[in-house]
Every structure is written in C-alpha cells, then in structure tokens.
Amino acid sequence: MNDERIDLYKQFERINCIDPSYYEKFRVKRGLRNADGTGVLAGMTNISNVHGYLLSDGDKLPDEGSLRLRGYEITDLLGEESSTTRFSFEEVAYLLLLGELPTRDQLDTFIAAIDAQRELPDGFTASMILKDTPPDIMNVLARSILLLYAYDPHAEDRSPEHEINTAISLMSRVPRMMVLTYYAQQARYHNGSMIMHRFIPGQSTAETILSMLRPNREFTPEEARMLDIMLCLHAEHGGGNNSTFTTRVMSSADTDPYSVYAAAICSLKGKKHGGANHQVRAMQADIKQHVANWEDDDEVADYLAKIVNKQAYDKSGLVYGMGHAVYTLSDPRAIICKKYAKKLAEGTEFEAEYRLLESIERLAPEVILRERGTKKDMCANIDMYSGFVYSMMGIPEDLYTPLFACARMAGWAAHRFEEIVAGKRIIRPAYKSTRSGSRPYTPISER
C-alpha cells in the first residue's frame, strides 16, 4: 500500500524529527552511550567481560582488547592450536549456562542432551519452514521459535528446569532449522534443489551444520574445527550488545523464553548488529571490483578515501569491518579469526584476497585520519574476516547471520537466566518529552 492521500508519507521526517540540541540540553545518552563513547552502566553480570579501554580520572584510555567468559580468556577456551578434532563450542556453552568448566562426564552428558533434542515436532518443517518461506532466514528462525511455544505444554513455566531444557532444545534445533530454511529459500527464490539431510546422532554442533548443509555431506576435520571456532567466537559478547540487552529487557518483563529468544534473533538481524557481516562483504566486493592492483597500497588507500568521503560504495562514509563500540586497539575475536583465515588462505586462490583485507585493516585508520582530520582509536572487528572465512569454507552468505544466532543462543540463555534470578525489576529507562505543556484540544468540526 502506498496511498498518497495519507499525509504521513510526505511528512514522515518532519513528524518524527527531534532537535539534536535537546540531547545535549537534557544530557540524554543517545544509544545509551556516554559522550566519550563508553557505554552507560545498566547492570551487573557474572557471565562475561568485554574489555577494550581503561578509565583513568574520567578519561577513556585505549587498551588491548580481551574477551573473558566466566573469567576465562577466549583464547584459552579454544584449546590447542594444532588440534583439528577437538570441539570447543559445547564446552563453552556449558560454561556459559552452568558457570564452570565441565568434567569429561559432565560434558558428555551435556552433549547427549543437545543431541537428543534435534528432532522437530511432526509436521513442523512442512508448515513453518517450507510454507510461505520469506527471503530472510532470520525471520523464519524467529517465527519458528515463537511457534515452538505451541508445542510446549509447559511453555509458561519459569522453573530452572524448564528454562534450561528450553535453552538446550533451541541450541539443538536452531542449527537444523537454519539449514532447512536455507534450502527452502533456495528452492523458492533461486530455483535451487530442496535438500533435507537427516542429522547424524553423535556429531558436534559444527559437524551437524556442515553435514546437513553440504549436498554430499562431506567435510574435513579442519573445516569442522574452523566452524567450531567461529561458533565459540560468537557465543557470547557481554550484556550490553543489542540482542543480549533485548534478551535482558524481555526477560525483565517476565515473558516466556520463546518470545525472548525470538526477539533476540530479530535484534541480531539488524545491519548495525549481527547483519553487519553482509555490509562488510559487500564493501569488500566493491573494493575488489574497483581496485585494479590489490597489492598497491596507494591504489587501495585512494579508493578507501573515496569511501570515507562518501564518493564510493554506499556513500555512507563508513569503512565496514573497522571500529567497535568497546574495543579500541584490538578485537581479540578478530585476531583469532584473522589467524585462522590466513592459515586457510595460504596456497589457495583466496590468498590474494586475504592480503587485500590485511591492507584494508592497516590502511583504513590512516586514511580516516588524513581525510577527516580526527584521530580515533580504531581496530578491525570480527566482521572484517568472519565472512571471508565462511566464504573459503563454501558457506553461503545467507547463513552468516543465522550462524551467529546458532552460536549466540548460549549467551542469550545465560543472560536470561541471570536476569530472572538477579534482575528482579522490569527494565524501564526514561524518555524526556520535548513538550513542556499541554496543547488545547480542538473538536474535529473546528479543525
């Protein structure tokens, strides 16, 4: 519908505009950010710590980034670098949900619980995934999770047992729903084949995804290990990120877990959050197309300058994949992702592209300083290399953000549990009205 008779179409910007000076006048923290870019403290958590700067006498000082889950450095949780068969995601998920690292027996029991929940209700795939499949997989995941509420006779139960069981069931089922939806999407919009592989009991989450996704079901141990690492890097990232804060807000209202996790997925879909990986890959493709010599720093820098000056790519002036709300000198997830990206690319047709991404990472801060005249501590974030890693593994771009959701289910669940136990109050920040008084009412006959 686009009825030109409705004035809102023509006046949308005017009606919804707020004078930017009000934010400064009333000291409103836009985006819940302080003036120096630090986040407004909105709660406490035992789950994780995202560190990227120091505060000294009120000043924000850049620092090397670190990500700790329940106090453990993410690099330590990933295990031995030489290992190609050890899988860490299930262990990380256990740590997030239960607070401690598991023993071998505890981990085996946890993995078996995840493995036992992969089945979907009878008729669910046909009615929810194959019927009226929308073009974005994230929307299917959100509505599918909402519908699973109807198959749970205890959906309104808030007991720890039900909360844990629901979280485990979704950690198990979301990867399967993701792959089924991908093929349904390909069949409906791209004349592709509808492939419906059964899951194989006993496989890790990473192995299950690859086994269901690949038409021939084949994958190498190195590929499964790489995907497992990516799941670990995306599993949790503090309570302040948008989708986790959505989880906290929804949970504080005492709604059911299915509503909470569906809302978190809707948040993650956003281009400024989990969907940013699409922006990064599109920008990288644009640079590859317009820079003739990827090895020429001057040519790469010149095109980056056009992007910064809003003369190229999407004219936003943003170099996607650079910068983060918390990290300043380094993003530990990006460092890990880059290390494995280099290993995967060496000796392959992807090596030249890897070197180009390295150049973008190295040159972008210099170009931004030169063109804008402002110095901002800026490092590559995980999206600079995550999509590239997935592309080398042959994982379709439509799955980049859904894979993020598969991993983040563990972090969302941990934060929901903590909000239920420790929060106790509905999250309800204030909004300042721009109107100081009331307006006189005029009857419709006199307007």
Side-chain angles (χ1 to χ4, degrees), residues 2 46 64 68 185 190 208 229 248 253 281 330 409 431:
N2 188 10
N46 290 321
E64 296 295 342
R68 297 191 189 101
Q185 175 207 59
H190 306 291
T208 296
I229 288 168
R248 289 274 192 168
R281 286 305 283 165
S330 61
M409 269 301 310
Y431 272 66

Side-chain angles (χ1 to χ4, degrees), residues 124-180:
F124 189 91
T125 300
S127 63
M128 282 307 298
I129 295 177
L130 301 183
K131 183 180 179 182
D132 300 326
T133 308
D136 197 292
I137 294 171
M138 294 292 281
N139 289 66
V140 182
L141 294 182
R143 80 175 187 183
S144 296
I145 289 174
L146 282 174
L147 188 69
L148 284 171
Y149 174 100
Y151 292 87
D152 183 350
H154 309 291
E156 290 293 342
D157 183 359
R158 302 290 192 274
S159 69
E161 293 81 6
H162 181 262
E163 288 290 343
I164 293 169
N165 289 340
T166 302
I168 290 175
S169 73
L170 291 178
M171 284 173 53
S172 177
R173 289 169 164 177
V174 168
R176 187 161 184 238
M177 293 190 296
M178 173 189 71
V179 176
L180 288 170

